[in-house]
């Protein structure tokens, strides 16, 4: 069974640009959640989608948004990039709520 | 606000040593506690603990949850260099998959 796939692996952007990250969950998994990992703040929850509906949202500004498609694939978008958005963005999938999450290898975003 | 604290922050041991990593939590609606190992990028799942006092084991790794003390420990016996990683503890609430992570313990195992 293929694992969680995130693309691209690396991204370099400049301030003010926008970026879209993609996540394909494990086949059959309906829950997809996104996390931001930085050396200073650790792993922080961004949002979770289940059956195309956003179920939970973390404390991030409105510049961070996401969506989930009918095949459970998910995208997250960050608009008007700031230097502080530089981070590893991790996607995780699980079959349903309250089950273990499986993480992808992440997208390393650098904002210059 | 939910909070998860891990200790120690970092640890250096030699191969063959036994280590104990700690995780304490303050959460509004606790459902489960999870342990992950992060070597490079993707955290890999180790254990999920829901009931207090039940030990989960996998080879040289084991973990136990204490709901009364709002804490968990992860034990690694006979450590190997391949155990070098960041170990992450996270709690999962009653609804949804909104994990709150601790800051992690960085373990280095020297040969």
């Amino acid at each position: 069974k293929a694992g969680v796939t995130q693309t691209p692996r690396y991204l370099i952007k400049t301030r003010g640009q926008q970026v879209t990250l993609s996540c394909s969950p494990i086949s059959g998994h309906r829950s997809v959640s996104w996390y931001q990992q930085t050396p200073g703040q650790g792993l922080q929850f961004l949002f979770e989608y289940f059956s195309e509906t956003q179920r939970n949202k973390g404390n991030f500004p409105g510049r961070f948004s996401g969506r989930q498609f009918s095949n459970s694939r998910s995208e997250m978008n960050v608009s008007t990039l700031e230097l502080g958005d530089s981070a590893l963005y991790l996607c995780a999938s699980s079959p349903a709520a309250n089950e273990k999450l499986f993480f992808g290898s992440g997208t390393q975003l650098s904002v210059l | 606000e939910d909070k998860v604290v891990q200790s120690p922050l970092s640890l250096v041991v030699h191969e063959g040593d036994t280590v104990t990593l700690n995780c304490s939590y303050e959460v509004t609606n606790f459902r489960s506690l999870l342990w992950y190992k992060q070597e490079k990028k993707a955290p890999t799942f180790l254990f999920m603990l829901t009931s207090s006092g039940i030990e989960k084991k996998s080879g040289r790794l084991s973990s136990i949850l204490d709901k009364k003390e709002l804490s968990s420990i992860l034990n690694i016996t006979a450590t190997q260099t391949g155990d070098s990683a960041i170990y992450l503890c996270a709690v999962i609430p009653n609804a949804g998959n909104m994990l709150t992570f601790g800051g992690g313990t960085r373990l280095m195992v020297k040969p």
Side-chain angles (χ1 to χ4, degrees), chain A residues 31 35 37 94 96 98 101 105, chain B residues 36 38 41 93-94 97 99:
Chain A
S31 169
Y35 292 82
Q37 188 173 30
S94 71
N98 300 316
L101 275 67
S105 294
Chain B
Y36 285 87
Q38 187 176 29
K41 297 276 181 80
N94 264 323
N97 284 333
L99 267 64

Side-chain angles (χ1 to χ4, degrees), chain A residues 46-91:
Chain A
L46 279 156
F47 25 66
E48 181 207 359
Y49 288 88
F50 186 85
S51 294
E52 302 178 67
T53 301
Q54 187 179 87
R55 192 154 62 173
N56 287 296
K57 190 175 194 308
N59 289 329
F60 279 84
R63 300 184 296 107
F64 291 81
S65 63
R67 59 180 176 167
Q68 186 180 32
F69 302 96
S70 58
N71 62 358
S72 293
R73 191 177 71 85
S74 177
E75 288 181 346
M76 69 163 276
N77 185 278
V78 188
S79 62
T80 321
L81 284 166
E82 299 177 0
L83 295 178
D85 297 334
S86 295
L88 178 67
Y89 289 89
L90 290 161
C91 167

Side-chain angles (χ1 to χ4, degrees), chain B residues 12-27:
Chain B
V12 179
V13 301
H14 287 95
E15 270 192 320
D17 288 348
T18 293
V19 298
T20 299
L21 311 184
N22 301 287
C23 175
S24 63
Y25 59 89
E26 292 174 30
V27 297

